[in-house]
Amino acid sequence: MAFDPSSLRHLFPILAQSAYDHPLTYLDNAATTQKPLPVLDAIQDYYRSFNANVHRGAHFLSDRATNRFEQARDTIASFINAPEQSHVIWTKGATEAINTVAFGLEHLLEKGDEILITSLEHHANLVPWQQLAFRTGARLRILPLTSNGEWEPEFSHYFTDRTRIFAATQISNAIGVSTPLQTMLDHAKQQGAFTLVDGAQAVAHYPIDVQILDCDFYIFSGHKMYGPTGIGVLYGKSHALEVLLPYQTGGEMVRHVSYQATEFNVLPYRLEAGTPHIEGVIGLAAACDFLNAQDRLALLAWEQSLAMHVYSRLHKEGGIEIYSPEKNTTLVSLSVPNIHILDLNAYLDSQGVAVRAGSHCAHPLMAQLGVAGTLRASFACYNTMEEANRFCDVLLEAIDLLNDE
Amino acid sequence: MTDSLGQQKPVNIKALLQACRSKEETFKALVTLSKTLPRLSAEKKTEENKVKGCESAVWLVVEESHGIRHFKADSDAKLMRGVLVAILSLVEGKMLADIQKMDLKAELAELNLSSYLTSSRTNGVLAILNKINTV
Ligand SMILES: Cc1ncc(COP(=O)(O)O)c(C=O)c1O
């Protein structure tokens, strides 16, 4: 039997409201997802019953908080099948995780070394590498991927013996396409490069196994996978995490400090300076528990069926440019010639339909597509077929209203 | 608004916008107004005339003769053209000093356009207002 979103939609009370007298239709899930009750409850519970700083006081509450905090690390480790919990570093999000790696590897880069990324990256997986290149004299190279997520085999020459870092997204946030990750990682590893995978758009939808991916670093944000904002994960293989110089220093990450020198703590603490985002960690573990309790493949199939339905309805209409693939994606990214996406967005908003209009933090990709931006409807497990249809209906109304005869 | 450029003289802008009872009605009113804005020619759409900070592209040309300000504006987004019609209707043909005495934000709020001042479009519209009342 097909998955029925009403089996879990009641766990998301925020969705049961109206926006400007219309039922709220939340289709901006690639920007951030809503949070289920178990996540909200876990955060409340932390503050109501075991708030204390972790790893410090030897007292009842601090022990409880520390235990739950470290249990959460286990939960995340098994969620992505990391071999050990010390390979899971807390960050404030995908962006901070990438910056931690970019700054941490700086001491290993030399002039003339190459950093390779793809043409489908979010600015978060582009600007830190560009700036690292500026600081070290390394060269930032862009592996061109088509908007179908394909690359030409003759592009294998982008991977050279100077490639020190290869960073790629698993799924494009702007157009929803999956990249040929495994093949690219193989090429990068053959050249001995450090490999980083940006899983920000993947974790909410796909079961992740970092050991199968076999990348050095895997990073993501909690808020795009039903968890709280302000918490994210940097997973790394131990040798890869070991070589990172701490990007931030201070308390918690040290073992011994004198005025002359500091001995850093072991992993994972060495890369976690300061009091961590404890409530975020607790909430993120609850989000993993929530996902683990679902039939993940059924959720994915449902989300993909919503996107496919929208694709086929809009494709039939004609006159709409669709940039996302027809299949195997959970979002639809489009534009309408001669109508501004902000105008479309304004009408959708007036009808309670929340989508994203813009460049999706991917200016170079928009240039590759030849547009200033796109309108993106992105689905999560709680979205219904009625909502997918409502998006299509309202979009078509908007086009009618905005078309110049 | 003038009809010197052969544009259809619009209905009372203030009445039209103030009658809007919902986001949808405001949307439709702005679409109606947008059709009354004389478009700028390509040569006027220079970098210099572009207003920074808007999500859509907005160009604003300010001319002054005998102390009286005249405005021409355009945007690639239709709703923004409607908003520009509303803004310019408040200031067109006035002396700079008089414009500076106006509370433009409050006047736009009275026209049911406050969401254009409080959302992410804020900076854009504020940048337009800024350009309108600086020397
Ligand atoms: C593919 C991708 N990478 C990185 C990020 C950055 O995530 P955050 O802003 O949570 O750090 C995003 C967020 O939109 C994303 O979609």
Side-chain angles (χ1 to χ4, degrees):
Chain A
M1 211 192 76
F3 170 76
D4 177 4
S6 66
S7 66
L8 49 73
R9 195 172 163 103
H10 63 279
L11 294 174
F12 296 85
I14 195 173
L15 298 171
Q17 62 183 300
S18 21
Y20 321 116
D21 296 327
H22 297 282
L24 173 68
T25 303
Y26 186 77
L27 303 178
D28 195 16
N29 296 289
T32 200
T33 56
Q34 300 303 340
K35 324 303 173 197
L37 284 174
V39 170
L40 306 182
D41 291 346
I43 294 169
Q44 271 255 337
D45 186 39
Y46 162 63
Y47 283 119
R48 282 176 175 271
S49 41
F50 60 98
N51 169 49
N53 210 331
V54 291
H55 307 135
R56 297 201 186 159
H59 58 70
F60 177 74
L61 284 184
S62 176
D63 285 349
R64 275 192 72 191
T66 305
N67 283 341
R68 290 288 294 274
F69 183 82
E70 290 304 330
Q71 264 170 29
R73 214 188 289 271
D74 279 336
T75 304
I76 279 31
S78 53
F79 185 71
I80 57 172
N81 197 30
E84 274 181 55
Q85 62 128 322
S86 63
H87 296 186
V88 171
I89 312 292
W90 304 121
T91 66
K92 72 181 162 82
T95 304
E96 191 181 56
I98 296 169
N99 276 285
T100 300
V101 177
F103 280 91
L105 291 177
E106 181 168 340
H107 66 112
L108 296 177
L109 285 202
E110 284 170 12
K111 199 168 178 322
D113 282 344
E114 292 171 3
I115 303 167
L116 182 64
I117 64 173
T118 83
S119 59
L120 300 185
E121 301 310 317
H122 186 281
H123 293 160
N125 200 26
L126 186 171
V127 183
W129 304 119
Q130 178 193 61
Q131 300 300 312
L132 174 63
F134 289 157
R135 293 195 301 274
T136 57
R139 180 152 88 106
L140 180 68
R141 300 191 70 189
I142 312 298
L143 178 69
L145 292 183
T146 67
S147 50
N148 306 322
E150 285 156 9
W151 70 311
E152 312 298 334
E154 75 259 25
F155 290 163
S156 57
H157 69 260
Y158 278 86
F159 299 89
T160 76
D161 57 0
R162 296 306 302 263
T163 310
R164 297 305 315 275
I165 298 170
F166 172 67
T169 192
Q170 193 167 359
I171 297 175
S172 153
N173 65 307
I175 56 173
V177 73
S178 298
T179 57
L181 197 56
Q182 212 72 58
T183 324
M184 295 190 298
L185 288 174
D186 285 346
H187 280 277
K189 280 183 289 188
Q190 272 165 30
Q191 303 294 347
F194 284 101
T195 54
L196 178 142
V197 175
D198 175 355
Q201 289 295 333
V203 276
H205 307 290
Y206 291 86
I208 303 300
D209 186 326
V210 291
Q211 296 189 57
I212 291 180
L213 277 174
D214 195 32
C215 48
D216 291 314
F217 303 105
Y218 189 89
I219 63 95
F220 56 95
S221 291
H223 69 92
K224 292 182 199 283
M225 52 165 288
Y226 309 105
T229 52
I231 187 71
V233 169
L234 162 61
Y235 154 83
K237 289 185 183 172
S238 42
H239 79 89
L241 291 174
E242 290 295 350
V243 300
L244 294 183
L245 283 188
Y247 154 55
Q248 290 183 24
T249 52
E252 288 265 334
M253 53 82 65
V254 297
R255 202 175 247 160
H256 181 76
V257 178
S258 70
Y259 287 124
Q260 287 70 40
T262 291
E263 187 189 339
F264 294 151
N265 205 338
V266 293
L267 288 171
Y269 313 112
R270 195 166 68 83
L271 295 170
E272 294 175 354
T275 296
H277 184 20
I278 307 170
E279 91 179 53
V281 166
I282 302 291
L284 181 57
C288 290
D289 291 340
F290 163 75
L291 278 171
N292 287 334
Q294 314 297 326
D295 177 347
R296 303 257 345 245
L297 294 180
L299 260 55
L300 173 64
W302 175 251
E303 294 156 355
Q304 290 181 338
S305 74
L306 295 175
M308 206 152 69
H309 177 74
V310 168
Y311 183 102
S312 70
R313 260 197 77 182
L314 297 180
H315 186 70
K316 260 190 236 119
E317 286 295 325
I320 299 174
E321 295 272 357
I322 307 182
Y323 304 99
S324 44
E326 182 179 356
K327 293 194 173 108
N328 299 322
T329 183
T330 59
L331 62 81
V332 179
S333 188
L334 59 89
S335 70
V336 180
N338 300 318
I339 300 184
H340 204 287
I341 49 169
L342 291 178
D343 291 337
L344 296 172
N345 186 50
Y347 187 71
L348 285 156
D349 177 44
S350 79
Q351 305 298 308
V353 181
V355 296
R356 174 81 227 255
S359 61
H360 315 293
C361 299
H363 292 159
L365 172 58
M366 293 298 120
Q368 179 181 330
L369 297 173
V371 288
T374 73
L375 188 84
R376 180 188 70 187
S378 51
F379 297 97
C381 61
Y382 41 66
N383 287 127
T384 64
M385 194 51 88
E386 289 73 48
E387 289 179 311
N389 277 317
R390 182 157 168 74
F391 168 69
C392 297
D393 295 340
V394 177
L395 178 71
L396 296 174
E397 270 170 42
I399 294 173
D400 254 1
L401 287 167
L402 291 160
N403 245 335
D404 288 311
E405 51 289 7
Chain B
M1 296 294 292
T2 70
D3 55 358
S4 59
L5 289 162
Q7 297 290 317
Q8 177 196 355
K9 196 168 180 134
V11 277
N12 184 328
I13 293 168
K14 192 168 173 183
L16 178 73
L17 288 170
Q18 283 184 335
C20 294
R21 288 285 156 264
S22 66
K23 267 232 147 176
E24 175 177 345
E25 287 179 11
T26 304
F27 174 94
K28 289 181 174 160
L30 288 172
V31 169
T32 304
L33 289 181
S34 72
K35 297 181 178 150
T36 68
L37 184 72
R39 306 297 301 263
L40 280 181
S41 60
E43 12 348 323
K44 295 269 188 204
K45 292 184 182 173
T46 58
E47 258 325 288
E48 198 197 343
N49 289 333
K50 211 165 178 174
V51 183
K52 307 238 158 33
C54 297
E55 277 189 77
S56 52
V58 173
W59 297 269
L60 178 65
V61 184
V62 187
E63 279 158 5
E64 205 170 298
S65 69
H66 309 289
I68 294 169
R69 293 211 135 187
H70 296 286
F71 303 92
K72 293 195 186 80
D74 202 350
S75 168
D76 57 353
K78 196 169 257 189
L79 286 206
M80 185 51 91
R81 293 203 291 278
V83 172
L84 288 168
V85 169
I87 295 176
L88 298 194
S89 75
L90 300 172
V91 295
E92 170 59 31
K94 295 197 166 149
M95 311 281 286
L96 176 60
D98 293 332
I99 295 172
Q100 284 172 338
K101 275 184 224 132
M102 297 170 75
D103 184 348
L104 289 173
K105 279 193 255 175
E107 298 208 26
L108 287 178
E110 259 176 56
L111 298 179
N112 277 324
L113 296 179
S114 47
S115 72
Y116 287 86
L117 293 162
T118 55
S119 71
S120 58
R121 281 151 281 201
T122 318
N123 295 334
V125 173
L126 292 184
I128 294 168
L129 298 185
N130 245 341
K131 187 157 176 186
I132 281 174
N133 59 27
T134 46
V135 190

